[in-house]
Every structure is written in C-alpha cells, then in structure tokens.
C-alpha cells in the first residue's frame, strides 16, 4: 500500500521492459494497423504490474522474484491483448459492422487469437521472459538493500 523503493524500481523496470517489447512487436504488426499509442499504453500496463505485482511482494527471495516477474509479464501480455483487440473490435462496433453483441464478442475472441500469434513470436517472448526475470531479481536486490 505504501510506496517503497522496491515498488518504484519494479514499476520503472517493467514500464521500460514493456516499452522495449512493444518496440519488438511493432515491426510484426500489419501495415494497416496503427500503433501510435502501443508503447505508452503498454508501458502503463507494465508500470502498474511492476508496482502492484512485483514490488508489493518483494523480499521473499530471488527465485520467488523470478516467478513474480513472469507472472507480471503474463498479466501485462493478457491485458495488452484484450485492450488492443477490444479497441479494434470497438471501432468496428461503432461502424455497426456486427449484427449483435454475440457477433462482436466472437470477433473479440478471434482478434485476441490473431494478436496473440503476433505477440507470441520468438523475439518478443524471449526478450520478455528474460527481461521479466531480470526485473524481478533487480527488484528483490533493491528490496533487500533498501530495507
């Protein structure tokens, strides 16, 4: 609940990590898909996940810190997939592209699956997994030194 050095470090590290992974994903996106806000919104998800998931539970050991880093990465990936897919489907909903709510929900699920194939390509996955583990370990290190 209270701000700590570990929470601040985790938030900043995960924001930087998700910004970097978004940069790795950007060239994989189709040409017609605008990605102007991809990096800042992804970094926002990383900031919140770092503060709430990794920084808040720092001090439980280095192995647990790696697991928390991977958990935060999974949360950011799922949140990002749902957010960006929802944005694309919402644009079509406002243009009355779908016949009803069930068709729009079906399109959302399909869009999440399509975006997941882009996000879960080798480069972003390796960078995210290694970076999240490193961010967790650094957060744990800061937690032990700052307390």
């Amino acid at each position: 609940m209270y701000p700590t050095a570990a929470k601040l470090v985790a938030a900043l590290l995960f924001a930087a990590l998700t910004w970097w992974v978004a940069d790795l994903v950007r060239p994989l996106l189709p040409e017609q898909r605008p990605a102007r806000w991809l990096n800042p919104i992804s970094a926002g998800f990383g900031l919140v996940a770092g503060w709430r998931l990794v920084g808040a539970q720092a001090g439980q050991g280095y192995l647990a810190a790696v697991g928390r880093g991977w958990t935060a990465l999974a949360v950011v990936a799922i949140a990002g997939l749902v957010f960006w897919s929802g944005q694309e489907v919402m644009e079509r909903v406002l243009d009355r592209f779908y016949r009803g709510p069930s068709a729009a929900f079906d399109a959302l699920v399909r869009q999440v699956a399509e975006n997941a194939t882009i996000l879960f390509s080798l480069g972003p996955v390796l960078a995210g997994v290694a970076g999240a583990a490193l961010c967790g370990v650094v957060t744990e290190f800061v937690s032990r030194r700052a307390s």
Side-chain angles (χ1 to χ4, degrees):
M1 181 168 165
Y2 297 104
T4 63
K7 287 180 182 179
L8 178 64
V9 166
L12 294 176
L13 286 175
F14 272 90
L17 174 66
T18 52
W19 186 287
W20 180 50
V21 171
D23 272 342
L24 296 176
V25 169
R26 185 183 300 273
L28 304 174
L29 294 175
E31 298 265 338
Q32 70 272 16
R33 200 175 290 173
R36 187 172 72 159
W37 291 98
L38 178 68
N39 290 53
I41 291 177
S42 298
F45 286 138
L47 187 88
V48 172
W51 183 279
R52 303 276 302 178
L53 298 175
V54 180
Q57 297 178 4
Q60 298 176 0
Y62 287 103
L63 189 59
V66 170
R68 281 191 306 277
W70 289 340
T71 301
L73 179 68
V75 167
V76 169
I78 292 168
L81 281 172
V82 171
F83 179 82
W84 292 111
S85 300
Q87 178 200 13
E88 292 180 35
V89 170
M90 187 57 81
E91 288 174 3
R92 290 187 219 133
V93 164
L94 294 175
D95 291 337
R96 298 189 182 270
F97 187 78
Y98 304 112
R99 292 186 181 256
S102 61
F105 183 75
D106 184 47
L108 176 64
V109 171
R110 276 189 265 114
Q111 191 64 45
V112 166
E114 180 183 321
N115 287 345
T117 60
I118 295 169
L119 177 64
F120 296 132
S121 56
L122 187 61
V125 167
L126 289 178
V129 168
L134 182 64
C135 290
V137 168
V138 170
T139 300
E140 182 68 22
F141 178 81
V142 168
S143 171
R144 288 174 183 240
R145 297 301 180 257
S147 60

